[in-house]
Amino acid sequence: GAFEAALRRDADGRANWHFGPRDQASATLPQFARLTVRNGRVALDDALLQLTLDAQARTLEGTAVTPGTANGKGASASVDAAAGTGAAAAAAPPTGLVVTAQGRYRGQPLKAELRAGGLLALATSRPEAPAVPMRADIQIADTRLRLEGKGRDLLHLHAFNGSYALEGRSLAAVGDTLQVTLPTTAAFST
């Protein structure tokens, strides 16, 4: 029903989320057939990245909501999270994953929202897992990045296909955020 995590990493790289060898090539996540979280919260304080974040998450993995019932809450029908099939699959997409976050990145205010058709396909490395629709909106100071498309296995950045929009007051501000030198420009949108 709920989870809460307080993740911390100091400037030396010591983190309270390392459970195996620190040189491990990739994280191994538990395998789930179904995952439902009604109220999740993650507080992150990462001195190495200069990132503090307070995120709330909920997922109704494997459940689709059909609008239009008398109580206004919709009716639920089971959906196979891996295949996207089931009685309600054609009626409405799975509610999936919703994450909202606020904090600071390198001293600048940060706000983010992620919505996806599901969490399991985004976290699995199985090549047969379906890509799920997703949308992300991230704003750091005056720079905003919006992504929309389909993806799977995002922990390893293996599959994302979509479009993006990036806008801000100057390319130099984007460079400051990424710690690369970019030219000072007028306000831009791409």
Side-chain angles (χ1 to χ4, degrees):
F3 75 86
E4 188 166 336
L7 306 176
R8 289 184 173 69
R9 180 164 59 173
D10 64 23
D12 295 330
R14 291 186 307 257
N16 67 350
W17 65 78
H18 290 144
F19 298 110
R22 290 181 71 186
D23 60 351
Q24 191 170 329
S26 67
T28 302
L29 296 175
Q31 298 296 308
F32 295 96
R34 182 180 174 103
L35 178 63
T36 301
V37 176
R38 289 181 186 88
N39 183 19
R41 181 171 179 262
V42 176
L44 174 65
D45 185 356
D46 190 333
L48 205 57
L49 292 178
Q50 300 176 36
L51 173 67
T52 58
L53 200 63
D54 184 20
Q56 294 77 40
R58 67 179 168 85
T59 179
L60 299 173
E61 198 71 46
T63 303
V65 177
T66 305
T69 59
N71 65 9
K73 293 186 178 179
S76 294
S78 180
V79 175
D80 181 327
T85 62
T95 301
L97 172 69
V98 177
V99 178
T100 57
Q102 55 282 332
R104 297 190 78 71
Y105 178 67
R106 302 193 186 283
Q108 301 295 318
L110 176 147
K111 290 187 336 184
E113 179 178 85
L114 169 69
R115 292 182 177 269
L119 172 63
L120 298 179
L122 294 178
T124 186
S125 57
R126 294 186 350 237
E128 71 275 9
V132 295
M134 59 179 293
R135 184 177 64 227
D137 190 343
I138 303 164
Q139 184 166 352
I140 300 173
D142 294 328
T143 302
R144 184 174 185 187
L145 172 65
R146 290 185 306 268
L147 300 167
E148 189 163 350
K150 290 186 174 190
R152 68 170 176 78
D153 193 16
L154 294 185
L155 291 176
H156 301 102
L157 298 176
H158 283 171
F160 177 76
N161 186 11
S163 60
Y164 76 93
L166 179 65
E167 59 189 40
R169 62 180 163 78
S170 172
L171 280 176
V174 175
D176 291 345
T177 301
L178 300 175
Q179 292 190 312
V180 296
T181 302
L182 292 176
T184 299
T185 65
F188 70 94
S189 179
T190 181

